[in-house]
Amino acid sequence: MIFLQYRMICQQYTTYHVFHTHRSGRLGQSVDDGIGAMSTAITGLDRCMQSGSLLTAVSAMTEFGSALHVLRDPGHHGLEEWAAKIRTTMSPLLAEWTRSWWWTAQAIRATPFVTPTPPADGFDDRLDQLRAMRPDDLAGRLLRPIAPSGDIRVALRWSRSREPAVAARVEALVTCPQEATEGFLAFLRRSWHEWFEAEWTRIQPTLAARARRFADTASLQGPASALASLDASVEPALSGVSVRIAKVQATRHDVSQRGLTVAASTFIRPHLYVADVPGRPLLLIHPADTGSPVPSAALVRRRLEVLAHQGRLEVARAIATEPRTAGEIAMLWNMDPTQVNRHLRALAAAGLATAARHGRFMRYRLDTGVVGAVGEDVLALLLR
């Protein structure tokens, strides 16, 4: 019976962290209308806004999910000091509970963390809503991150690859949903009282101000421009009715009917998180501050492909310390001049080298700053 109930719940509630968007109308659908491959596309923005379903949310529960995510691995968020401070304020019991529940807010987040109620919802209100759910229903929503297929055998199997405390929580959700979900609600309540209430008091005004700014921009400049203002990785299409996000995974989300909810977060960077829960508006969680310009996924891939060629690497080495012409490189290293020219043009087209005319000669030089940043760009793209 539990197995059948769990499968039904998981068919109704699906959350994806799309990378990206941690992660469309359908996951894995290619973007082929010019919006761009190697990106996450959000389309139908004009009808979404006309119908009044482009909304902002200032949600304590959603932000708690992002904070819980950071506590698990603060390094790539640059919040090591913050996480260490929060951990020192926790009671030993809450610290233990936190380690056993933070799997619910990782690459794929449990449904309670990605279904805010616009324009704002308080932590206590969301707790009351979760408490009113049937235990097996809530358990299914919590198990989503570890078994997207809805198969409890998958949940139990992969939970055993995690820490023992996580495996115990998953097994309890499958076999004793009432007791296990009561434990989750107790974890939320204790987290609120021990540390998150103070954090929410500090950050809520920032998130509310960012929501108002987004709404004003959408009203004055349109939804695509408003979304592009959220993060440097978001680019509006020329049509103005869609945007693409520089992510690795090529997916499409049509929000013309379902709607789009936008929520700022002080914890989410470097991610730009898209959560797709069937029957709910698409959720976009974005950093409260606008980040620095970022290369597109296509440009990062192009640079990797250029550098992956042995001949181009040899030519890149030749211009790494001083500018040289194609003819000079061919002569010094006994290479085919035509191939050298092709390699130099490829390096320059990818932004990895610069070209400058010197009299009748064209000299190329490796842009060591760009080449040095390729690894960082790849990591940023994967994390986004």
Side-chain angles (χ1 to χ4, degrees):
M1 177 62 73
I2 292 175
F3 173 79
L4 293 177
Q5 290 174 335
Y6 178 68
R7 290 298 297 267
M8 292 175 64
I9 291 167
C10 290
Q11 288 170 2
Q12 295 172 2
Y13 298 98
T14 304
T15 306
Y16 294 108
H17 184 187
V18 182
F19 279 98
H20 129 249
T21 117
H22 81 321
R23 41 298 252 177
S24 83
R26 296 290 184 271
L27 186 68
Q29 180 175 347
S30 297
V31 179
D32 57 6
D33 60 355
I35 294 176
M38 284 284 288
S39 63
T40 294
I42 301 177
T43 65
L45 291 170
D46 52 340
R47 285 176 287 172
C48 176
M49 186 164 181
Q50 290 167 7
S51 65
S53 54
L54 176 60
L55 303 172
T56 59
V58 180
S59 169
M61 188 64 70
T62 296
E63 186 69 341
F64 175 76
S66 295
L68 183 60
H69 175 90
V70 171
L71 285 174
R72 172 64 176 83
D73 185 12
H76 66 274
H77 294 270
L79 292 173
E80 296 93 335
E81 291 185 7
W82 174 87
K85 177 184 175 182
I86 295 300
R87 287 171 180 166
T88 61
T89 67
M90 291 182 185
S91 64
L93 179 60
L94 180 58
E96 179 184 348
W97 286 0
T98 300
R99 288 190 294 271
S100 69
W101 283 114
W102 57 28
W103 58 274
T104 59
Q106 297 307 302
I108 301 175
R109 300 191 183 184
T111 306
F113 296 136
V114 291
T115 50
T117 304
D121 54 35
F123 203 84
D124 288 339
D125 293 336
R126 289 290 288 139
L127 271 177
D128 290 340
Q129 293 172 9
L130 296 176
R131 193 178 296 110
M133 291 181 184
R134 296 195 327 268
D136 57 338
D137 187 357
L138 179 55
R141 301 186 189 207
L142 294 176
L143 283 168
R144 172 56 54 192
I146 204 165
S149 66
D151 190 333
I152 61 171
R153 293 167 297 183
V154 171
L156 293 171
R157 176 184 179 185
W158 292 116
S159 70
R160 297 187 184 107
S161 69
R162 312 287 183 94
E163 296 84 351
V166 174
R169 290 291 187 189
V170 172
E171 183 174 359
L173 286 168
V174 171
T175 59
C176 307
Q178 181 167 351
E179 180 180 348
T181 54
E182 287 176 354
F184 177 71
L185 295 174
F187 161 66
L188 294 179
R189 285 194 302 271
R190 198 173 188 108
S191 297
W192 174 256
H193 291 303
E194 288 197 18
W195 67 272
F196 191 66
E197 182 178 14
E199 288 296 303
W200 184 243
T201 299
R202 176 180 64 86
I203 62 184
Q204 189 273 342
T206 299
L207 303 187
R210 189 66 186 91
R212 289 192 297 269
R213 188 157 73 251
F214 174 82
D216 291 343
T217 304
S219 177
L220 295 173
Q221 301 179 25
S225 294
L227 289 172
S229 73
L230 298 179
D231 190 77
S233 64
V234 183
E235 180 183 355
L238 294 177
S239 63
V241 300
S242 60
V243 297
R244 64 179 180 183
I245 305 172
K247 290 180 177 290
V248 169
Q249 192 168 15
T251 55
R252 181 202 304 272
H253 303 269
D254 184 350
V255 298
S256 59
Q257 299 295 324
R258 67 185 298 187
L260 171 65
T261 300
V262 177
S265 170
T266 59
F267 298 107
I268 201 71
R269 184 171 298 285
H271 310 306
L272 195 64
Y273 193 98
V274 178
D276 181 8
V277 180
R280 298 280 303 191
L282 189 73
L283 175 66
L284 174 64
I285 308 177
H286 67 91
D289 62 305
T290 302
S292 304
V294 296
S296 68
L299 180 57
V300 172
R301 184 176 64 179
R302 183 179 184 184
R303 287 173 174 171
L304 290 174
E305 290 172 347
V306 168
L307 292 172
H309 190 283
Q310 180 178 342
R312 284 192 285 271
L313 277 179
E314 293 175 354
V315 171
R317 178 177 178 273
I319 60 174
T321 58
E322 61 180 300
R324 286 192 169 101
T325 66
E328 183 183 6
I329 295 171
M331 181 270 296
L332 290 173
W333 281 274
N334 193 28
M335 301 171 72
D336 183 343
T338 300
Q339 289 296 325
V340 172
N341 261 312
R342 290 176 180 171
H343 294 330
L344 288 170
R345 286 197 296 268
L347 289 165
L352 298 168
T354 58
R357 184 165 292 282
H358 184 73
R360 64 187 183 88
F361 298 103
M362 182 66 72
R363 301 197 302 179
Y364 291 84
R365 183 163 194 160
L366 193 70
D367 191 327
T368 55
V370 173
V371 174
V374 168
E376 295 179 359
D377 292 340
V378 171
L379 180 59
L381 180 63
L382 295 175
L383 291 174
R384 195 176 306 134

